[in-house]
Amino acid sequence: MNRGQRGKLAMAAAALSVGLLALTGCGYVNAQQTSQQYAASDGTRADVGPVQLRNMLIVSTGENEPGRLIGAVYNSSSKDVKVTLKGAEGSQTEVSVKQNSYTLLNDSTDAATLSTTGGKPGSLVDVQVTEDGTNVSKSFKVPVVDGTLKEYESYLPAGSTPTGTPTPSETATTAAPSEGH
């Protein structure tokens, strides 16, 4: 190998080393997004002792109206727990969760309903969670949504009508004048 070939080989090796350093340095300089936990849904999350609440949200038609809590409540302890969720103006509901199991509030026949949401749809409200196993308590923000989106309409508390949906009496009144034509 002559001197010119060695020079080209050395330059190629240097370029390759710089390229490899640049590629491996990206992961060192930038934060890893996979190491950051977040709520990847419409609802929020909270951990209270051995209880984990996931995808929690309240479905309601208004600020002073009843609101149904939906989401999942996981119990990682070796005994059954009762979780108390307290909302605005003293409204509260309880959810029982078996040991090492979970309860889906979306599927529950006994809906977890607060007597008042304390916030308009589109807002975040404070909900205090207490579990009776270790008596740990925590407050966290929960979004309030209404039934205008089809996927939430079925979770509205009994007797509620989604915002923007006419009630049967409104439909009858608006339909009456057109019948005369």
Side-chain angles (χ1 to χ4, degrees), residues 36-87:
Q36 297 175 0
Q37 294 186 4
Y38 64 97
S41 69
D42 293 340
T44 56
R45 55 184 274 150
D47 295 334
V48 184
V51 173
Q52 296 90 37
L53 295 103
R54 299 294 184 259
N55 304 325
M56 299 298 291
L57 54 92
I58 299 172
V59 184
S60 177
T61 57
E63 184 173 2
N64 298 317
E65 299 295 321
R68 179 174 177 185
L69 280 155
I70 61 173
V73 183
Y74 295 89
N75 175 11
S76 62
S77 74
S78 58
K79 60 182 178 177
D80 298 352
V81 295
K82 187 172 287 186
V83 178
T84 304
L85 300 141
K86 294 180 183 178

mmCIF file of all heavy atoms in Angstrom, residues 36-87:
data_model
loop_
_atom_site.group_PDB
_atom_site.id
_atom_site.type_symbol
_atom_site.label_atom_id
_atom_site.label_comp_id
_atom_site.label_asym_id
_atom_site.label_seq_id
_atom_site.Cartn_x
_atom_site.Cartn_y
_atom_site.Cartn_z
ATOM 1 N N GLN A 36 -40.562 8.457 30.352
ATOM 2 C CA GLN A 36 -41.482 9.378 31.001
ATOM 3 C C GLN A 36 -42.897 8.805 30.962
ATOM 4 O O GLN A 36 -43.431 8.530 29.891
ATOM 5 C CB GLN A 36 -41.457 10.734 30.309
ATOM 6 C CG GLN A 36 -40.097 11.396 30.410
ATOM 7 C CD GLN A 36 -40.026 12.685 29.617
ATOM 8 O OE1 GLN A 36 -40.979 13.097 28.993
ATOM 9 N NE2 GLN A 36 -38.868 13.315 29.656
ATOM 10 N N GLN A 37 -43.515 8.620 32.144
ATOM 11 C CA GLN A 37 -44.874 8.088 32.207
ATOM 12 C C GLN A 37 -45.880 9.226 32.102
ATOM 13 O O GLN A 37 -45.663 10.304 32.645
ATOM 14 C CB GLN A 37 -45.084 7.339 33.514
ATOM 15 C CG GLN A 37 -44.238 6.091 33.604
ATOM 16 C CD GLN A 37 -44.568 5.283 34.840
ATOM 17 O OE1 GLN A 37 -45.463 5.601 35.586
ATOM 18 N NE2 GLN A 37 -43.827 4.230 35.049
ATOM 19 N N TYR A 38 -46.973 8.963 31.406
ATOM 20 C CA TYR A 38 -48.029 9.953 31.253
ATOM 21 C C TYR A 38 -49.336 9.235 30.960
ATOM 22 O O TYR A 38 -49.354 8.053 30.647
ATOM 23 C CB TYR A 38 -47.685 10.952 30.144
ATOM 24 C CG TYR A 38 -47.600 10.311 28.771
ATOM 25 C CD1 TYR A 38 -48.684 10.349 27.908
ATOM 26 C CD2 TYR A 38 -46.447 9.660 28.348
ATOM 27 C CE1 TYR A 38 -48.620 9.746 26.657
ATOM 28 C CE2 TYR A 38 -46.363 9.058 27.113
ATOM 29 C CZ TYR A 38 -47.469 9.116 26.260
ATOM 30 O OH TYR A 38 -47.404 8.522 25.043
ATOM 31 N N ALA A 39 -50.444 9.959 31.068
ATOM 32 C CA ALA A 39 -51.763 9.395 30.782
ATOM 33 C C ALA A 39 -52.018 9.536 29.286
ATOM 34 O O ALA A 39 -52.267 10.629 28.798
ATOM 35 C CB ALA A 39 -52.836 10.121 31.585
ATOM 36 N N ALA A 40 -51.961 8.437 28.573
ATOM 37 C CA ALA A 40 -52.127 8.463 27.124
ATOM 38 C C ALA A 40 -53.588 8.234 26.742
ATOM 39 O O ALA A 40 -53.916 7.363 25.961
ATOM 40 C CB ALA A 40 -51.238 7.403 26.488
ATOM 41 N N SER A 41 -54.470 9.015 27.339
ATOM 42 C CA SER A 41 -55.899 8.891 27.044
ATOM 43 C C SER A 41 -56.571 10.191 27.424
ATOM 44 O O SER A 41 -55.922 11.163 27.777
ATOM 45 C CB SER A 41 -56.494 7.730 27.841
ATOM 46 O OG SER A 41 -56.510 8.063 29.214
ATOM 47 N N ASP A 42 -57.909 10.193 27.403
ATOM 48 C CA ASP A 42 -58.647 11.392 27.783
ATOM 49 C C ASP A 42 -58.596 11.615 29.288
ATOM 50 O O ASP A 42 -58.695 12.735 29.758
ATOM 51 C CB ASP A 42 -60.112 11.279 27.347
ATOM 52 C CG ASP A 42 -60.239 11.273 25.837
ATOM 53 O OD1 ASP A 42 -59.306 11.721 25.156
ATOM 54 O OD2 ASP A 42 -61.278 10.820 25.337
ATOM 55 N N GLY A 43 -58.471 10.545 30.057
ATOM 56 C CA GLY A 43 -58.505 10.635 31.517
ATOM 57 C C GLY A 43 -57.141 10.849 32.135
ATOM 58 O O GLY A 43 -56.130 10.933 31.451
ATOM 59 N N THR A 44 -57.139 10.932 33.482
ATOM 60 C CA THR A 44 -55.891 11.124 34.221
ATOM 61 C C THR A 44 -55.602 9.901 35.088
ATOM 62 O O THR A 44 -56.412 8.982 35.158
ATOM 63 C CB THR A 44 -55.967 12.380 35.111
ATOM 64 O OG1 THR A 44 -57.091 12.265 35.974
ATOM 65 C CG2 THR A 44 -56.087 13.629 34.279
ATOM 66 N N ARG A 45 -54.460 9.917 35.757
ATOM 67 C CA ARG A 45 -54.028 8.785 36.562
ATOM 68 C C ARG A 45 -53.542 9.260 37.916
ATOM 69 O O ARG A 45 -53.114 10.394 38.079
ATOM 70 C CB ARG A 45 -52.929 8.015 35.849
ATOM 71 C CG ARG A 45 -51.771 8.881 35.457
ATOM 72 C CD ARG A 45 -50.692 8.198 34.678
ATOM 73 N NE ARG A 45 -49.766 7.585 35.611
ATOM 74 C CZ ARG A 45 -49.072 6.504 35.353
ATOM 75 N NH1 ARG A 45 -49.154 5.936 34.191
ATOM 76 N NH2 ARG A 45 -48.278 5.992 36.246
ATOM 77 N N ALA A 46 -53.618 8.345 38.895
ATOM 78 C CA ALA A 46 -53.108 8.634 40.239
ATOM 79 C C ALA A 46 -52.795 7.315 40.923
ATOM 80 O O ALA A 46 -53.428 6.296 40.651
ATOM 81 C CB ALA A 46 -54.128 9.413 41.056
ATOM 82 N N ASP A 47 -51.804 7.334 41.811
ATOM 83 C CA ASP A 47 -51.446 6.186 42.631
ATOM 84 C C ASP A 47 -51.678 6.565 44.080
ATOM 85 O O ASP A 47 -51.162 7.584 44.548
ATOM 86 C CB ASP A 47 -49.987 5.787 42.420
ATOM 87 C CG ASP A 47 -49.715 5.293 41.004
ATOM 88 O OD1 ASP A 47 -50.655 4.803 40.356
ATOM 89 O OD2 ASP A 47 -48.564 5.414 40.546
ATOM 90 N N VAL A 48 -52.453 5.740 44.801
ATOM 91 C CA VAL A 48 -52.786 5.998 46.203
ATOM 92 C C VAL A 48 -52.537 4.712 46.973
ATOM 93 O O VAL A 48 -53.348 3.792 46.926
ATOM 94 C CB VAL A 48 -54.264 6.444 46.347
ATOM 95 C CG1 VAL A 48 -54.568 6.800 47.781
ATOM 96 C CG2 VAL A 48 -54.571 7.606 45.424
ATOM 97 N N GLY A 49 -51.399 4.647 47.673
ATOM 98 C CA GLY A 49 -51.044 3.401 48.358
ATOM 99 C C GLY A 49 -50.963 2.272 47.343
ATOM 100 O O GLY A 49 -50.347 2.414 46.290
ATOM 101 N N PRO A 50 -51.627 1.132 47.614
ATOM 102 C CA PRO A 50 -51.592 0.003 46.686
ATOM 103 C C PRO A 50 -52.617 0.125 45.557
ATOM 104 O O PRO A 50 -52.782 -0.788 44.761
ATOM 105 C CB PRO A 50 -51.938 -1.185 47.585
ATOM 106 C CG PRO A 50 -52.843 -0.605 48.614
ATOM 107 C CD PRO A 50 -52.316 0.787 48.863
ATOM 108 N N VAL A 51 -53.304 1.258 45.477
ATOM 109 C CA VAL A 51 -54.363 1.447 44.479
ATOM 110 C C VAL A 51 -53.867 2.358 43.357
ATOM 111 O O VAL A 51 -53.275 3.403 43.613
ATOM 112 C CB VAL A 51 -55.620 2.059 45.145
ATOM 113 C CG1 VAL A 51 -56.673 2.415 44.118
ATOM 114 C CG2 VAL A 51 -56.187 1.108 46.184
ATOM 115 N N GLN A 52 -54.113 1.932 42.134
ATOM 116 C CA GLN A 52 -53.771 2.743 40.963
ATOM 117 C C GLN A 52 -55.059 3.061 40.208
ATOM 118 O O GLN A 52 -55.827 2.154 39.901
ATOM 119 C CB GLN A 52 -52.815 2.008 40.017
ATOM 120 C CG GLN A 52 -51.461 1.690 40.606
ATOM 121 C CD GLN A 52 -51.439 0.349 41.293
ATOM 122 O OE1 GLN A 52 -52.055 -0.599 40.837
ATOM 123 N NE2 GLN A 52 -50.745 0.256 42.407
ATOM 124 N N LEU A 53 -55.277 4.344 39.949
ATOM 125 C CA LEU A 53 -56.427 4.788 39.168
ATOM 126 C C LEU A 53 -55.913 5.178 37.790
ATOM 127 O O LEU A 53 -54.945 5.935 37.684
ATOM 128 C CB LEU A 53 -57.104 5.985 39.843
ATOM 129 C CG LEU A 53 -57.713 5.638 41.194
ATOM 130 C CD1 LEU A 53 -56.837 6.144 42.310
ATOM 131 C CD2 LEU A 53 -59.096 6.187 41.298
ATOM 132 N N ARG A 54 -56.558 4.670 36.754
ATOM 133 C CA ARG A 54 -56.108 4.927 35.390
ATOM 134 C C ARG A 54 -57.273 5.390 34.516
ATOM 135 O O ARG A 54 -58.389 4.903 34.636
ATOM 136 C CB ARG A 54 -55.482 3.661 34.771
ATOM 137 C CG ARG A 54 -54.258 3.141 35.517
ATOM 138 C CD ARG A 54 -53.102 4.139 35.422
ATOM 139 N NE ARG A 54 -51.894 3.653 36.041
ATOM 140 C CZ ARG A 54 -51.469 4.022 37.239
ATOM 141 N NH1 ARG A 54 -52.171 4.865 37.965
ATOM 142 N NH2 ARG A 54 -50.338 3.570 37.715
ATOM 143 N N ASN A 55 -56.969 6.330 33.622
ATOM 144 C CA ASN A 55 -57.923 6.843 32.645
ATOM 145 C C ASN A 55 -59.196 7.375 33.298
ATOM 146 O O ASN A 55 -60.296 7.202 32.779
ATOM 147 C CB ASN A 55 -58.273 5.785 31.593
ATOM 148 C CG ASN A 55 -57.046 5.264 30.891
ATOM 149 O OD1 ASN A 55 -56.098 5.989 30.649
ATOM 150 N ND2 ASN A 55 -57.054 3.986 30.576
ATOM 151 N N MET A 56 -59.053 8.041 34.426
ATOM 152 C CA MET A 56 -60.202 8.539 35.177
ATOM 153 C C MET A 56 -60.736 9.833 34.567
ATOM 154 O O MET A 56 -59.968 10.739 34.250
ATOM 155 C CB MET A 56 -59.821 8.790 36.638
ATOM 156 C CG MET A 56 -59.339 7.554 37.382
ATOM 157 S SD MET A 56 -60.568 6.255 37.513
ATOM 158 C CE MET A 56 -61.731 7.010 38.615
ATOM 159 N N LEU A 57 -62.055 9.896 34.411
ATOM 160 C CA LEU A 57 -62.715 11.113 33.999
ATOM 161 C C LEU A 57 -64.149 11.099 34.483
ATOM 162 O O LEU A 57 -64.668 10.059 34.899
ATOM 163 C CB LEU A 57 -62.620 11.354 32.497
ATOM 164 C CG LEU A 57 -63.060 10.285 31.517
ATOM 165 C CD1 LEU A 57 -64.506 10.468 31.132
ATOM 166 C CD2 LEU A 57 -62.204 10.405 30.271
ATOM 167 N N ILE A 58 -64.788 12.253 34.466
ATOM 168 C CA ILE A 58 -66.171 12.395 34.912
ATOM 169 C C ILE A 58 -67.014 12.770 33.704
ATOM 170 O O ILE A 58 -66.668 13.686 32.954
ATOM 171 C CB ILE A 58 -66.294 13.495 35.993
ATOM 172 C CG1 ILE A 58 -65.444 13.135 37.210
ATOM 173 C CG2 ILE A 58 -67.752 13.698 36.384
ATOM 174 C CD1 ILE A 58 -65.342 14.247 38.250
ATOM 175 N N VAL A 59 -68.136 12.059 33.522
ATOM 176 C CA VAL A 59 -69.058 12.358 32.431
ATOM 177 C C VAL A 59 -70.283 13.027 33.032
ATOM 178 O O VAL A 59 -70.951 12.446 33.894
ATOM 179 C CB VAL A 59 -69.455 11.074 31.662
ATOM 180 C CG1 VAL A 59 -70.345 11.425 30.470
ATOM 181 C CG2 VAL A 59 -68.227 10.314 31.198
ATOM 182 N N SER A 60 -70.575 14.254 32.593
ATOM 183 C CA SER A 60 -71.675 15.037 33.160
ATOM 184 C C SER A 60 -72.169 16.060 32.143
ATOM 185 O O SER A 60 -71.445 16.420 31.218
ATOM 186 C CB SER A 60 -71.211 15.756 34.424
ATOM 187 O OG SER A 60 -72.237 16.560 34.949
ATOM 188 N N THR A 61 -73.383 16.554 32.365
ATOM 189 C CA THR A 61 -73.919 17.585 31.470
ATOM 190 C C THR A 61 -73.649 18.991 31.968
ATOM 191 O O THR A 61 -73.840 19.947 31.233
ATOM 192 C CB THR A 61 -75.444 17.419 31.290
ATOM 193 O OG1 THR A 61 -76.067 17.466 32.570
ATOM 194 C CG2 THR A 61 -75.767 16.116 30.592
ATOM 195 N N GLY A 62 -73.228 19.158 33.221
ATOM 196 C CA GLY A 62 -72.993 20.504 33.707
ATOM 197 C C GLY A 62 -72.327 20.557 35.062
ATOM 198 O O GLY A 62 -72.164 19.546 35.751
ATOM 199 N N GLU A 63 -71.983 21.769 35.468
ATOM 200 C CA GLU A 63 -71.229 22.009 36.689
ATOM 201 C C GLU A 63 -71.967 21.562 37.948
ATOM 202 O O GLU A 63 -71.381 20.991 38.853
ATOM 203 C CB GLU A 63 -70.910 23.503 36.785
ATOM 204 C CG GLU A 63 -70.059 23.876 37.949
ATOM 205 C CD GLU A 63 -69.624 25.332 37.903
ATOM 206 O OE1 GLU A 63 -70.016 26.059 36.977
ATOM 207 O OE2 GLU A 63 -68.881 25.728 38.799
ATOM 208 N N ASN A 64 -73.235 21.832 38.049
ATOM 209 C CA ASN A 64 -74.007 21.477 39.239
ATOM 210 C C ASN A 64 -74.855 20.224 39.028
ATOM 211 O O ASN A 64 -75.826 19.998 39.734
ATOM 212 C CB ASN A 64 -74.879 22.660 39.667
ATOM 213 C CG ASN A 64 -74.030 23.858 40.030
ATOM 214 O OD1 ASN A 64 -73.014 23.709 40.700
ATOM 215 N ND2 ASN A 64 -74.416 25.031 39.574
ATOM 216 N N GLU A 65 -74.503 19.438 38.054
ATOM 217 C CA GLU A 65 -75.226 18.211 37.715
ATOM 218 C C GLU A 65 -74.453 16.994 38.222
ATOM 219 O O GLU A 65 -73.255 17.068 38.450
ATOM 220 C CB GLU A 65 -75.401 18.106 36.192
ATOM 221 C CG GLU A 65 -76.191 19.246 35.574
ATOM 222 C CD GLU A 65 -77.632 19.265 36.038
ATOM 223 O OE1 GLU A 65 -78.229 18.175 36.167
ATOM 224 O OE2 GLU A 65 -78.157 20.363 36.284
ATOM 225 N N PRO A 66 -75.139 15.843 38.351
ATOM 226 C CA PRO A 66 -74.432 14.610 38.718
ATOM 227 C C PRO A 66 -73.403 14.242 37.648
ATOM 228 O O PRO A 66 -73.575 14.576 36.475
ATOM 229 C CB PRO A 66 -75.541 13.555 38.790
ATOM 230 C CG PRO A 66 -76.816 14.309 38.855
ATOM 231 C CD PRO A 66 -76.577 15.640 38.220
ATOM 232 N N GLY A 67 -72.357 13.552 38.072
ATOM 233 C CA GLY A 67 -71.326 13.122 37.142
ATOM 234 C C GLY A 67 -70.880 11.704 37.445
ATOM 235 O O GLY A 67 -70.674 11.340 38.596
ATOM 236 N N ARG A 68 -70.752 10.898 36.398
ATOM 237 C CA ARG A 68 -70.316 9.509 36.569
ATOM 238 C C ARG A 68 -68.813 9.411 36.343
ATOM 239 O O ARG A 68 -68.289 9.886 35.338
ATOM 240 C CB ARG A 68 -71.047 8.604 35.584
ATOM 241 C CG ARG A 68 -70.598 7.159 35.722
ATOM 242 C CD ARG A 68 -71.391 6.216 34.885
ATOM 243 N NE ARG A 68 -70.873 4.865 35.014
ATOM 244 C CZ ARG A 68 -71.313 3.852 34.317
ATOM 245 N NH1 ARG A 68 -72.288 4.016 33.455
ATOM 246 N NH2 ARG A 68 -70.787 2.662 34.481
ATOM 247 N N LEU A 69 -68.128 8.794 37.288
ATOM 248 C CA LEU A 69 -66.699 8.529 37.155
ATOM 249 C C LEU A 69 -66.511 7.275 36.316
ATOM 250 O O LEU A 69 -67.184 6.260 36.549
ATOM 251 C CB LEU A 69 -66.071 8.310 38.526
ATOM 252 C CG LEU A 69 -65.763 9.570 39.307
ATOM 253 C CD1 LEU A 69 -65.732 9.289 40.786
ATOM 254 C CD2 LEU A 69 -64.440 10.143 38.851
ATOM 255 N N ILE A 70 -65.642 7.347 35.330
ATOM 256 C CA ILE A 70 -65.285 6.150 34.569
ATOM 257 C C ILE A 70 -63.770 6.030 34.551
ATOM 258 O O ILE A 70 -63.052 7.003 34.761
ATOM 259 C CB ILE A 70 -65.880 6.131 33.137
ATOM 260 C CG1 ILE A 70 -65.379 7.300 32.296
ATOM 261 C CG2 ILE A 70 -67.395 6.116 33.180
ATOM 262 C CD1 ILE A 70 -65.813 7.207 30.840
ATOM 263 N N GLY A 71 -63.298 4.825 34.333
ATOM 264 C CA GLY A 71 -61.874 4.533 34.345
ATOM 265 C C GLY A 71 -61.650 3.174 34.994
ATOM 266 O O GLY A 71 -62.578 2.382 35.138
ATOM 267 N N ALA A 72 -60.419 2.899 35.391
ATOM 268 C CA ALA A 72 -60.066 1.618 36.004
ATOM 269 C C ALA A 72 -59.415 1.857 37.363
ATOM 270 O O ALA A 72 -58.644 2.798 37.526
ATOM 271 C CB ALA A 72 -59.114 0.841 35.107
ATOM 272 N N VAL A 73 -59.755 0.991 38.326
ATOM 273 C CA VAL A 73 -59.171 1.052 39.659
ATOM 274 C C VAL A 73 -58.498 -0.293 39.925
ATOM 275 O O VAL A 73 -59.166 -1.326 39.955
ATOM 276 C CB VAL A 73 -60.238 1.342 40.739
ATOM 277 C CG1 VAL A 73 -59.583 1.480 42.109
ATOM 278 C CG2 VAL A 73 -61.037 2.597 40.403
ATOM 279 N N TYR A 74 -57.176 -0.275 40.079
ATOM 280 C CA TYR A 74 -56.382 -1.490 40.313
ATOM 281 C C TYR A 74 -55.984 -1.568 41.781
ATOM 282 O O TYR A 74 -55.616 -0.570 42.379
ATOM 283 C CB TYR A 74 -55.107 -1.477 39.458
ATOM 284 C CG TYR A 74 -55.370 -1.525 37.986
ATOM 285 C CD1 TYR A 74 -55.546 -0.345 37.258
ATOM 286 C CD2 TYR A 74 -55.448 -2.730 37.311
ATOM 287 C CE1 TYR A 74 -55.787 -0.375 35.902
ATOM 288 C CE2 TYR A 74 -55.692 -2.763 35.945
ATOM 289 C CZ TYR A 74 -55.863 -1.586 35.250
ATOM 290 O OH TYR A 74 -56.110 -1.615 33.905
ATOM 291 N N ASN A 75 -56.027 -2.782 42.335
ATOM 292 C CA ASN A 75 -55.616 -3.023 43.719
ATOM 293 C C ASN A 75 -54.476 -4.034 43.700
ATOM 294 O O ASN A 75 -54.687 -5.206 43.399
ATOM 295 C CB ASN A 75 -56.798 -3.560 44.531
ATOM 296 C CG ASN A 75 -56.420 -3.938 45.945
ATOM 297 O OD1 ASN A 75 -55.345 -3.633 46.426
ATOM 298 N ND2 ASN A 75 -57.327 -4.629 46.614
ATOM 299 N N SER A 76 -53.269 -3.595 44.043
ATOM 300 C CA SER A 76 -52.119 -4.501 44.024
ATOM 301 C C SER A 76 -51.835 -5.111 45.397
ATOM 302 O O SER A 76 -50.841 -5.807 45.566
ATOM 303 C CB SER A 76 -50.876 -3.754 43.519
ATOM 304 O OG SER A 76 -50.562 -2.688 44.394
ATOM 305 N N SER A 77 -52.718 -4.880 46.369
ATOM 306 C CA SER A 77 -52.492 -5.431 47.708
ATOM 307 C C SER A 77 -53.073 -6.841 47.840
ATOM 308 O O SER A 77 -53.813 -7.299 46.980
ATOM 309 C CB SER A 77 -53.107 -4.516 48.778
ATOM 310 O OG SER A 77 -54.508 -4.620 48.784
ATOM 311 N N SER A 78 -52.743 -7.493 48.952
ATOM 312 C CA SER A 78 -53.203 -8.865 49.183
ATOM 313 C C SER A 78 -54.516 -8.906 49.967
ATOM 314 O O SER A 78 -54.898 -9.954 50.473
ATOM 315 C CB SER A 78 -52.124 -9.659 49.920
ATOM 316 O OG SER A 78 -51.824 -8.994 51.137
ATOM 317 N N LYS A 79 -55.212 -7.771 50.058
ATOM 318 C CA LYS A 79 -56.535 -7.776 50.683
ATOM 319 C C LYS A 79 -57.480 -6.850 49.915
ATOM 320 O O LYS A 79 -57.041 -5.928 49.232
ATOM 321 C CB LYS A 79 -56.452 -7.375 52.157
ATOM 322 C CG LYS A 79 -55.881 -6.006 52.423
ATOM 323 C CD LYS A 79 -55.805 -5.753 53.919
ATOM 324 C CE LYS A 79 -55.194 -4.396 54.197
ATOM 325 N NZ LYS A 79 -55.170 -4.092 55.607
ATOM 326 N N ASP A 80 -58.776 -7.126 50.040
ATOM 327 C CA ASP A 80 -59.778 -6.303 49.383
ATOM 328 C C ASP A 80 -59.739 -4.893 49.959
ATOM 329 O O ASP A 80 -59.471 -4.712 51.150
ATOM 330 C CB ASP A 80 -61.184 -6.884 49.588
ATOM 331 C CG ASP A 80 -61.334 -8.271 48.980
ATOM 332 O OD1 ASP A 80 -60.413 -8.728 48.271
ATOM 333 O OD2 ASP A 80 -62.387 -8.895 49.211
ATOM 334 N N VAL A 81 -59.994 -3.870 49.110
ATOM 335 C CA VAL A 81 -60.021 -2.491 49.579
ATOM 336 C C VAL A 81 -61.291 -1.791 49.108
ATOM 337 O O VAL A 81 -61.910 -2.197 48.125
ATOM 338 C CB VAL A 81 -58.794 -1.668 49.104
ATOM 339 C CG1 VAL A 81 -57.516 -2.187 49.698
ATOM 340 C CG2 VAL A 81 -58.728 -1.582 47.612
ATOM 341 N N LYS A 82 -61.648 -0.760 49.853
ATOM 342 C CA LYS A 82 -62.742 0.107 49.455
ATOM 343 C C LYS A 82 -62.129 1.473 49.180
ATOM 344 O O LYS A 82 -61.428 2.030 50.017
ATOM 345 C CB LYS A 82 -63.793 0.214 50.550
ATOM 346 C CG LYS A 82 -65.037 0.974 50.110
ATOM 347 C CD LYS A 82 -66.131 0.892 51.141
ATOM 348 C CE LYS A 82 -66.680 -0.514 51.067
ATOM 349 N NZ LYS A 82 -67.838 -0.745 51.894
ATOM 350 N N VAL A 83 -62.372 1.988 47.980
ATOM 351 C CA VAL A 83 -61.823 3.272 47.569
ATOM 352 C C VAL A 83 -62.949 4.304 47.617
ATOM 353 O O VAL A 83 -64.013 4.094 47.042
ATOM 354 C CB VAL A 83 -61.243 3.180 46.139
ATOM 355 C CG1 VAL A 83 -60.701 4.517 45.682
ATOM 356 C CG2 VAL A 83 -60.161 2.116 46.075
ATOM 357 N N THR A 84 -62.714 5.405 48.329
ATOM 358 C CA THR A 84 -63.684 6.488 48.414
ATOM 359 C C THR A 84 -63.199 7.641 47.550
ATOM 360 O O THR A 84 -62.057 8.080 47.674
ATOM 361 C CB THR A 84 -63.855 6.974 49.870
ATOM 362 O OG1 THR A 84 -64.219 5.858 50.683
ATOM 363 C CG2 THR A 84 -64.925 8.039 49.975
ATOM 364 N N LEU A 85 -64.066 8.107 46.656
ATOM 365 C CA LEU A 85 -63.752 9.226 45.765
ATOM 366 C C LEU A 85 -64.658 10.384 46.152
ATOM 367 O O LEU A 85 -65.884 10.273 46.073
ATOM 368 C CB LEU A 85 -63.993 8.814 44.310
ATOM 369 C CG LEU A 85 -63.142 7.625 43.862
ATOM 370 C CD1 LEU A 85 -63.921 6.700 42.976
ATOM 371 C CD2 LEU A 85 -61.913 8.121 43.166
ATOM 372 N N LYS A 86 -64.051 11.498 46.586
ATOM 373 C CA LYS A 86 -64.806 12.680 47.030
ATOM 374 C C LYS A 86 -64.625 13.804 46.033
ATOM 375 O O LYS A 86 -63.507 14.162 45.696
ATOM 376 C CB LYS A 86 -64.337 13.140 48.408
ATOM 377 C CG LYS A 86 -64.632 12.156 49.512
ATOM 378 C CD LYS A 86 -64.145 12.682 50.846
ATOM 379 C CE LYS A 86 -64.385 11.651 51.938
ATOM 380 N NZ LYS A 86 -63.875 12.096 53.237
ATOM 381 N N GLY A 87 -65.755 14.364 45.619
ATOM 382 C CA GLY A 87 -65.725 15.477 44.676
ATOM 383 C C GLY A 87 -66.146 16.767 45.326
ATOM 384 O O GLY A 87 -65.962 16.978 46.528
#
